[in-house]
Amino acid sequence: MLDIAEELHRWVEQGRVFAVATVVAVGGSAPRQPGAALAVDSDGTAIGSVSGGCVEGAVYELCRQALEDGRTVVERFGYSDEDAFAVGLTCGGIIDILVTPVRGGVYPAALAAAASGEAAALARIVEGPDDLMGRALLVHPDGSYEGVLGGHPELDRTAAAEARAMLDGGRTGTVGIGEDGSRCGQPLTLLVESSVPAPRMIVFGAIDFASALVRVGKFLGYHVTVCDARPIFATKARFPEADEIVVAWPHRYLATTDVDARTVLCVLTHDAKFDVPLLQAALRLPVAYIGAMGSRRTHEDRNKRLREVGVTEIELARLRSPIGLDLGARTPEETALSIGAEIVANRRGGTGAALTGAHTPIHHDGPREPAGRLGSVA
């Protein structure tokens, strides 16, 4: 439910009563992943989505029912061959939906944390005894937690430790533990939803292509920084949608700023005096993606210069150059789209090939590196 936290936090502040349906498990070709949510308030207002439209009507009614009877339930939806009009997923997948009436507990604090961009994890029991279903813990990055799952006192500590481990990686998914907190007790399944600050996109080179890429990066949910050593070009007026404008030599800025396994670096300067020291440093950092713009001749010359300063072949293999997928792009906007597409393919494990006539899966199992805040990066 944290992927719609900002709106739900407003509902809490307004005193609105609501129920939330959350995807807790998927099988086959399902349109939404665990954590996707639909919420319905007592007036019938709905926000969010659990299936992209396939079963929204049925889930909406389940939320209305949960508001009436106060019960937490798990419902499975799948494709029906016998009746094409039956409630189900026409894509052939299966999804399990947890429907919970939200009435106090740790939910308001969890929504407030996610809405403000704080790191936090919400761990909920989605499979187990009826009296424990829907119970939740709010887990903070330091390992402290709020709430009680019930039963054995060791259960809360074990659940918090599992949730913290998933929060550290920015991951959302399910984990199994015993009802007594061990791996041997009556099994429970927890859905852990991680909310973390938006991942970073750092665009080096304040050129016209960068302006288009900033817009694509924001659309994909990144916190976007533009960095250039030339103050006349690196201005807020030229990049109004960027979260941050930095006037500095790129390699010096990269040495002083925070990056992590979700960060993407886009080098658009295609100038050796900027590119070489920047890429020499970047290719040794544990970031998700490093791409550099330039012609194939520029690419070959840049690789030669990088080898001369000690960059290894293994390090060079991480560089996406020329940057972007082959879309035949010509305009800055088309080029930015090709770069964004490559970033998504790299994050999700996609091939970049056309789906028409292909035998590759439409939805891949998951990202290659930790995902960002729920719903922030497509």
Side-chain angles (χ1 to χ4, degrees), residues 7 19 34 60 96 105 120 135 138 174 221-222 257 293 298 308 368 370:
E7 183 63 27
Y60 177 89
D96 289 343
R135 293 198 183 185
L138 174 61
T174 56
Y222 286 94
T257 193
M293 177 176 279
T298 298
E308 288 173 351
R368 290 183 177 178

Side-chain angles (χ1 to χ4, degrees), residues 305-319:
R305 292 172 183 267
L306 288 169
R307 291 186 182 98
E308 288 173 351
V309 297
V311 176
T312 68
E313 295 302 318
I314 292 176
E315 291 167 341
L316 271 179
R318 299 183 60 207
L319 179 61

Side-chain angles (χ1 to χ4, degrees), residues 42-290:
S42 55
D43 293 331
T45 302
I47 59 170
S49 172
V50 292
S51 70
C54 302
V55 299
E56 306 297 306
V59 174
Y60 177 89
E61 294 302 328
L62 287 173
C63 287
R64 296 297 299 270
Q65 183 63 40
L67 287 171
E68 289 184 14
D69 61 27
R71 295 181 62 246
T72 294
V73 298
V74 173
E75 190 79 17
R76 172 165 291 184
F77 293 94
Y79 181 69
S80 171
D81 288 321
E82 290 78 19
D83 184 357
F85 296 99
V87 172
L89 297 172
T90 56
C91 56
I94 296 172
I95 57 174
D96 289 343
I97 305 289
L98 172 75
V99 182
T100 305
V102 176
R103 294 170 179 167
V106 300
Y107 292 110
L111 294 170
S116 64
E118 297 176 19
L122 182 67
R124 289 187 279 169
I125 297 176
V126 298
E127 186 175 349
D130 289 344
D131 61 329
L132 298 183
M133 290 289 290
R135 293 198 183 185
L137 289 182
L138 174 61
V139 182
H140 301 286
D142 63 0
S144 62
Y145 58 90
E146 304 171 41
V148 177
L149 294 181
H152 199 285
E154 194 63 28
L155 173 60
D156 292 345
R157 289 189 287 270
T158 301
E162 295 283 357
R164 182 188 181 187
M166 296 186 73
L167 177 61
D168 287 344
R171 294 182 293 118
T172 287
T174 56
V175 60
I177 60 176
E179 192 175 336
D180 61 357
S182 71
R183 295 293 182 181
C184 303
Q186 183 70 25
L188 300 175
T189 300
L190 300 178
L191 172 68
V192 179
E193 297 177 77
S194 293
S195 174
V196 293
R200 297 191 68 189
M201 172 186 283
I202 308 178
V203 180
F204 297 98
I207 64 175
D208 52 352
F209 288 90
S211 180
L213 184 56
V214 167
R215 295 195 295 274
V216 168
K218 292 299 296 179
F219 177 75
L220 293 177
Y222 286 94
H223 180 281
V224 182
T225 299
V226 175
C227 175
D228 197 298
R230 304 164 297 177
I232 193 172
F233 295 112
T235 66
K236 192 66 177 176
R238 295 191 71 219
F239 302 98
E241 296 181 67
D243 296 289
E244 186 180 22
I245 308 291
V246 176
V247 179
W249 276 76
H251 71 285
R252 292 173 184 165
Y253 173 67
L254 185 60
T256 60
T257 193
D258 292 330
V259 297
D260 60 24
R262 302 180 299 142
T263 302
V264 301
L265 307 178
C266 301
V267 181
L268 309 186
T269 47
H270 51 80
D271 184 331
K273 69 177 179 290
F274 294 122
D275 289 2
V276 172
L278 172 60
L279 290 171
Q280 182 183 11
L283 291 169
R284 292 166 182 167
L285 293 174
V287 295
Y289 172 92
I290 306 166

